[in-house]
Amino acid sequence: MKKLFFTFLSLILLVSCTSQKNSEEFINTTSGRYLFNANEVLEIYFEDAIMHAKWRGTDAELLKVNDSSFYMKELNEKMLFVSQPKMHIELDPKTEHKGTLYHFKKLNAEEKTAGEYFKAKEYNKALLAFKAIQTNDSTNYLIRERSLNSWGYRFVREKNYDAALEIFKINSELYPNSSNVFNSLGEAYFLKKDTANAIISFKKSLAVNPENRNSEQFLKKLTK
């Protein structure tokens, strides 16, 4: 606790000696959206040349420590803006990080997260983004089969069958050897009254697992 107090006190002393205004060049270079994690963005912008950040519903003014370092109270982190090799944010190392180095890359103007692509109904781009997450971090909760299936059934409960179908399609691309995924896809097609594709999906489900009773029952109902 003492260490945290003295660290914060040191930051306040540094901040008090530093102009909170930023240069036009720095503003132009650093303004934008940074990938905070696989599907979450931190947005940097400026008001009256003072840095602000939008993150998880908060709109925070950052304390300038020096020309490239800023303290964000909401994160309790000092963020370093690094321009090479490409503009990104690094968190200043500290004990709580346990040796992990955190880097947040700056997104291009048109670049979105997987979730943002999906929300915008850019489903092909969403699929590519989910595949990129799977390639980079196969254990990420965002691309877990169960997580995506739960997301799909949430759409089903909301009677948003179009969105449910699309998320189940993405899940089947990520997990082509899952009987459960194709069963869910078949159900979405069934709800959309697309019998032909429902039958194809249930058959794929049974090809992976012949004992999938739900797929078997649906198939009997649709082919009798």
Side-chain angles (χ1 to χ4, degrees), residues 71-123:
Y71 177 72
M72 186 171 174
K73 182 177 66 174
E74 288 73 10
L75 278 172
N76 188 27
E77 298 284 359
K78 187 165 82 169
M79 302 193 299
L80 315 176
F81 287 80
V82 183
S83 59
Q84 298 297 330
K86 290 183 178 181
M87 175 55 69
H88 64 280
I89 295 173
E90 296 178 4
L91 294 187
D92 198 33
K94 63 180 187 181
T95 306
E96 291 83 349
H97 295 167
K98 298 179 180 179
T100 301
L101 299 176
Y102 291 94
H103 297 74
F104 309 138
K105 78 164 189 170
K106 186 178 181 182
L107 297 175
N108 299 326
E110 302 301 319
E111 196 172 358
K112 298 183 179 80
T113 65
E116 288 172 333
Y117 280 128
F118 191 87
K119 188 176 181 180
K121 299 184 179 180
E122 298 178 75
Y123 300 125

Side-chain angles (χ1 to χ4, degrees), residues 191-222:
L191 290 168
K192 290 277 293 173
K193 304 188 187 314
D194 185 343
T195 302
N197 277 312
I199 289 171
I200 290 170
S201 298
F202 289 128
K203 283 183 176 179
K204 286 182 178 179
S205 172
L206 289 169
V208 176
N209 177 17
E211 296 184 3
N212 190 316
R213 299 300 176 221
N214 193 66
S215 292
E216 185 179 36
Q217 288 170 7
F218 263 106
L219 198 57
K220 284 180 180 178
K221 183 190 300 184
L222 294 170

Side-chain angles (χ1 to χ4, degrees), residues 8-125:
F8 185 71
L9 183 61
S10 300
L11 278 170
I12 294 298
L13 290 172
L14 280 170
V15 166
S16 65
C17 299
T18 304
S19 169
Q20 293 300 296
K21 301 282 186 176
N22 294 277
S23 70
E24 191 68 30
E25 181 183 0
F26 182 80
I27 291 171
N28 291 335
T29 304
T30 56
S31 293
R33 290 162 20 103
Y34 294 78
L35 197 61
F36 185 77
N37 59 38
N39 202 40
E40 190 176 7
V41 168
L42 184 148
E43 181 182 351
I44 297 295
Y45 73 101
F46 293 80
E47 281 187 358
D48 193 25
I50 294 175
M51 182 180 284
H52 291 253
K54 290 181 180 179
W55 177 73
R56 292 186 180 176
T58 64
D59 195 332
E61 180 178 321
L62 276 62
L63 297 175
K64 184 176 179 180
V65 180
N66 57 44
D67 285 342
S68 61
S69 301
F70 295 77
Y71 177 72
M72 186 171 174
K73 182 177 66 174
E74 288 73 10
L75 278 172
N76 188 27
E77 298 284 359
K78 187 165 82 169
M79 302 193 299
L80 315 176
F81 287 80
V82 183
S83 59
Q84 298 297 330
K86 290 183 178 181
M87 175 55 69
H88 64 280
I89 295 173
E90 296 178 4
L91 294 187
D92 198 33
K94 63 180 187 181
T95 306
E96 291 83 349
H97 295 167
K98 298 179 180 179
T100 301
L101 299 176
Y102 291 94
H103 297 74
F104 309 138
K105 78 164 189 170
K106 186 178 181 182
L107 297 175
N108 299 326
E110 302 301 319
E111 196 172 358
K112 298 183 179 80
T113 65
E116 288 172 333
Y117 280 128
F118 191 87
K119 188 176 181 180
K121 299 184 179 180
E122 298 178 75
Y123 300 125
N124 289 334
K125 290 182 179 179

Side-chain angles (χ1 to χ4, degrees), residues 129-145:
F130 279 117
K131 281 186 172 181
I133 295 171
Q134 188 181 50
T135 299
N136 295 328
D137 181 8
S138 61
T139 63
N140 192 294
Y141 76 96
L142 288 167
I143 50 86
R144 288 176 188 162
E145 178 187 330

